[in-house]
Amino acid sequence: MKKIGLLFDERLSHDRKKVFTRNMTTFKVRYSLDFIPSGLTEDSLIEFLEKGEYDIALIPWHLYFSWKKAANFTETRVMGYFADPLLQFEFQAVPNYQNFVLLDFYHFDLDEIELLFRMMTAKSDETEIIETFGKTAHFASNEWYQTDQETAQCIDVLFDNQIFQSFSYQERLPNFRFFVTALWMACFREKHVHPTDTASAKVMIAEYGKRLMIKITFQSPTLTSKDILKELWPSGEHHNILFQEMARHSDFLKISHFPKTRNISISALFLPSQPSLALNGEVRGFWIENRL
């Protein structure tokens, strides 16, 4: 079991502290979660992490933005989180990070936060969807081929799956379709030449308890994690509308870049709380990482 250390956000209001503490205590045993001593400076946090006690360290968003050495620490995966409203004007210049993880502990309810913990502790990208939703979930998969770049018929085939026919998802079907169409366009925007029997992309779906994940893996020789971060940065200038569409129509977006294989893996959560419907100006969590 991976060990997680959490640095408490001392800037939370009294009421939010109570809620946040109660929620995190729920995960304390289940995920081997410990509270990191508060009042640390950036250097003392790095010294603390160098002891190797934790696989993952969660720190408040404002420290994650400003503590660049800690955020880029390699021996422990350091991730940012927010547990109260975070507004777009609080984002300034895009940080020079290879990885940027901002977990949403404010809009998500307790069961939904657990999905984030499962994603954090997944053994690999290949097993992420199963580890996040469990073996008892409903799964479906599809493959897109080079010939599919001339037609979006493969999208219709995907939506013929009975997972999307559930009454629970009828009102969100337009969001799903917008999201999957953006995935399709991202996958085929560069016309790669693949052998006819080799898939251009693999799409997987998992559903359990009105919670849904859509995941795609495809190859892109040009995209990097820094490029994607710039496109998703709330206050940035956006040149690739596809990533903005993915973020707009999903509740949580995780994008991994694999430099050695030039693969891009995109995972999106669609949740009952629907944080994507939050008031305009509120930031939602997203996860960009460079995987070796």
Side-chain angles (χ1 to χ4, degrees), residues 178-247:
F178 274 121
F179 178 81
V180 173
T181 300
L183 286 182
W184 182 86
M185 294 176 70
C187 173
F188 292 118
R189 68 177 186 160
E190 299 169 89
K191 294 184 180 293
H192 309 306
V193 178
H194 294 280
T196 54
D197 59 345
T198 302
S200 297
K202 182 173 183 179
V203 185
M204 296 187 68
I205 307 166
E207 188 274 335
Y208 185 79
K210 299 182 180 180
R211 293 159 179 80
L212 182 79
M213 177 187 272
I214 300 176
K215 182 182 180 74
I216 186 174
T217 303
F218 63 94
Q219 195 175 78
S220 173
T222 59
L223 279 175
T224 67
S225 60
K226 287 187 176 182
D227 294 334
I228 298 168
L229 179 56
K230 289 178 183 177
E231 294 299 335
L232 287 177
W233 196 251
S235 62
E237 294 183 7
H238 311 296
H239 305 287
N240 188 336
I241 193 65
L242 296 178
F243 291 106
Q244 285 295 306
E245 287 297 302
M246 291 178 203

Side-chain angles (χ1 to χ4, degrees), residues 32 89 130 146 160-161 184 245 249:
S32 188
F89 73 83
I130 296 176
Q146 184 176 334
D160 283 341
N161 190 280
W184 182 86
E245 287 297 302
H249 294 290

Side-chain angles (χ1 to χ4, degrees), residues 38-274:
S38 59
L40 297 177
T41 63
E42 181 179 15
D43 289 336
S44 58
L45 174 65
I46 291 174
E47 289 179 8
F48 187 81
L49 296 180
E50 283 176 341
K51 298 177 182 177
E53 294 184 26
Y54 300 109
D55 301 290
I56 299 167
L58 302 176
I59 65 176
W61 68 271
H62 54 93
L63 299 180
Y64 187 64
F65 282 16
S66 59
W67 288 0
K68 293 179 171 54
K69 288 189 295 183
N72 289 298
F73 188 70
T74 55
E75 295 177 34
T76 300
R77 293 177 73 185
V78 179
M79 303 178 175
Y81 73 86
F82 63 99
D84 55 0
L86 183 55
L87 302 177
Q88 289 186 5
F89 73 83
E90 297 179 87
F91 280 64
Q92 299 179 2
V94 183
N96 187 29
Y97 291 178
Q98 290 279 356
N99 306 304
F100 189 88
V101 185
L102 187 63
L103 301 178
D104 189 341
F105 293 158
Y106 174 66
H107 296 103
F108 285 20
D109 66 26
L110 195 60
D111 291 338
E112 294 167 354
I113 292 174
E114 183 168 12
L115 295 182
L116 297 180
F117 271 83
R118 291 181 182 180
M119 292 176 77
M120 274 191 280
T121 56
K123 294 178 182 177
S124 69
D125 184 74
E126 290 78 10
T127 63
E128 175 190 66
I129 193 166
I130 296 176
E131 292 188 64
T132 300
F133 274 73
K135 295 180 180 179
T136 58
H138 300 100
F139 293 96
S141 63
N142 202 349
E143 291 184 334
W144 294 347
Y145 291 86
Q146 184 176 334
T147 54
D148 289 327
Q149 65 188 354
E150 305 301 336
T151 173
Q153 186 177 1
C154 56
I155 296 177
D156 295 326
V157 172
L158 190 70
F159 280 94
D160 283 341
N161 190 280
Q162 63 182 19
I163 287 177
F164 292 109
Q165 307 307 314
S166 168
F167 178 78
S168 305
Y169 295 126
Q170 291 306 301
E171 66 177 16
R172 295 204 75 178
L173 278 178
N175 298 87
F176 297 156
R177 188 166 282 275
F178 274 121
F179 178 81
V180 173
T181 300
L183 286 182
W184 182 86
M185 294 176 70
C187 173
F188 292 118
R189 68 177 186 160
E190 299 169 89
K191 294 184 180 293
H192 309 306
V193 178
H194 294 280
T196 54
D197 59 345
T198 302
S200 297
K202 182 173 183 179
V203 185
M204 296 187 68
I205 307 166
E207 188 274 335
Y208 185 79
K210 299 182 180 180
R211 293 159 179 80
L212 182 79
M213 177 187 272
I214 300 176
K215 182 182 180 74
I216 186 174
T217 303
F218 63 94
Q219 195 175 78
S220 173
T222 59
L223 279 175
T224 67
S225 60
K226 287 187 176 182
D227 294 334
I228 298 168
L229 179 56
K230 289 178 183 177
E231 294 299 335
L232 287 177
W233 196 251
S235 62
E237 294 183 7
H238 311 296
H239 305 287
N240 188 336
I241 193 65
L242 296 178
F243 291 106
Q244 285 295 306
E245 287 297 302
M246 291 178 203
R248 183 178 297 115
H249 294 290
S250 61
D251 297 323
F252 185 77
L253 192 64
K254 178 187 176 211
I255 305 179
S256 300
H257 172 241
F258 297 82
K260 290 184 179 179
T261 61
R262 296 180 176 178
N263 279 351
I264 300 291
S265 174
I266 301 175
S267 303
L269 292 175
F270 300 85
L271 307 167
S273 64
Q274 299 188 38

